[in-house]
Amino acid sequence: MDLQKHTEPDLRKHTDLRASDADRDRTADILREALAEGRLTAEEHAERVEEVFRAKTVGELEPLVRDLPAGHGPHSSAAFAAAPSRPAPGAIPSVADENVVAVFSAAVRKGRWRVGRRTHAYAIFGSVEIDLSEAIFEHQHVVIKAVSVFGSVEIRVPENVSMRGSGGGVLGTFEVDTLDSGEQDAPVVYVDGLAVLGSIEAKPRRGKLIEDILDRVGDRLNAKLRRHLGH
């Protein structure tokens, strides 16, 4: 299959992003809808789906749906917009909704829990683990402020959220992976922190996705398909 690989200059910074499982699933859904509408033959559909699961970047996924209507809709143009580097002024309260503290001990926050707009984590000669991979996000912007002194703070997020980091270390390490979700409604997690002779680390948990985001995307595609079949 000879598909054009050229990307527009103003989108290059987005198309160079590594593709997530959610990005691949979304592209596969568009191809499935195109097959149902008769825009693709069964052979073309199978060939493109094979390319979807080989793709490593967003830029490799885009040509697979560029000649389809869903690849040029409003959702597509906003899908890869980068999240802001900071939340809007006043959007996040200065007082924490929850404090997770470990002093000469360990503290863990994980499972199915509701994430507030601001969470503070303090590891003093101890360790804190905050796992958002199964959490319920009721707010689009979430701030986690982490302080580690001779300790460690580990933060894990689902793959289909956006994440930004601001902080540093004093004889310590501060490491936050920058993530951009392919879903414009996805939560944005901001990690602010200071590590003094300690460590702060925030990364995605492989294979973990926020299911309600995928449900909303799936509902929109299913509604379109039902409208088409009803004609």
Side-chain angles (χ1 to χ4, degrees):
M1 178 172 58
D2 184 17
L3 292 173
Q4 186 180 11
K5 298 293 184 181
H6 174 70
T7 56
E8 297 297 331
D10 60 339
L11 292 179
R12 187 167 296 138
K13 63 180 179 179
H14 302 312
T15 56
D16 286 344
L17 293 173
R18 298 285 293 188
S20 69
D21 290 340
D23 296 328
R24 296 185 186 90
D25 289 344
R26 189 175 301 107
T27 303
D29 286 340
I30 292 174
L31 295 175
R32 184 165 55 248
E33 184 177 7
L35 175 64
E37 293 175 346
R39 299 181 188 275
L40 295 176
T41 66
E43 183 179 355
E44 290 171 329
H45 175 262
E47 192 174 1
R48 295 195 190 194
V49 168
E50 185 177 349
E51 293 293 328
V52 166
F53 293 102
R54 289 179 180 173
K56 296 185 182 301
T57 68
V58 169
E60 292 173 348
L61 291 173
E62 285 188 343
L64 301 174
V65 296
R66 184 173 291 153
D67 59 347
L68 301 174
H72 295 274
H75 174 75
S76 175
S77 63
F80 304 109
S85 59
R86 301 297 304 163
I92 305 296
S94 58
V95 178
D97 298 297
E98 182 173 0
N99 293 298
V100 183
V101 181
V103 179
F104 289 98
S105 62
V108 178
R109 194 72 168 95
K110 65 179 182 178
R112 196 69 172 164
W113 60 291
R114 297 182 184 276
V115 184
R117 285 181 292 180
R118 176 181 286 274
T119 299
H120 289 177
Y122 301 97
I124 314 297
F125 290 93
S127 65
V128 171
E129 178 186 353
I130 297 178
D131 189 345
L132 304 177
S133 60
E134 297 179 5
I136 300 171
F137 285 84
E138 296 182 325
H139 309 282
Q140 187 169 16
H141 290 179
V142 170
V143 168
I144 299 177
K145 179 180 178 181
V147 176
S148 172
V149 179
F150 288 96
S152 66
V153 177
E154 180 182 289
I155 300 166
R156 292 293 179 264
V157 302
E159 286 190 303
N160 58 338
V161 305
S162 296
M163 185 161 64
R164 297 289 184 267
S166 176
V170 178
L171 299 178
T173 60
F174 177 85
E175 182 180 357
V176 177
D177 283 4
T178 297
L179 303 177
D180 278 297
S181 175
E183 169 63 41
Q184 68 180 91
D185 297 329
V188 184
V189 178
Y190 299 93
V191 179
D192 296 336
L194 175 64
V196 180
L197 292 165
S199 65
I200 297 172
E201 179 185 85
K203 294 184 176 182
R205 187 174 291 284
R206 293 290 298 170
K208 291 293 186 178
L209 305 175
I210 302 177
E211 296 180 358
D212 59 344
I213 291 179
L214 299 183
D215 287 344
R216 289 199 300 272
V217 174
D219 288 344
R220 287 198 293 267
L221 293 175
N222 289 334
K224 290 180 182 178
L225 182 58
R226 285 195 297 269
R227 285 197 299 270
H228 172 76
L229 296 177
H231 290 323

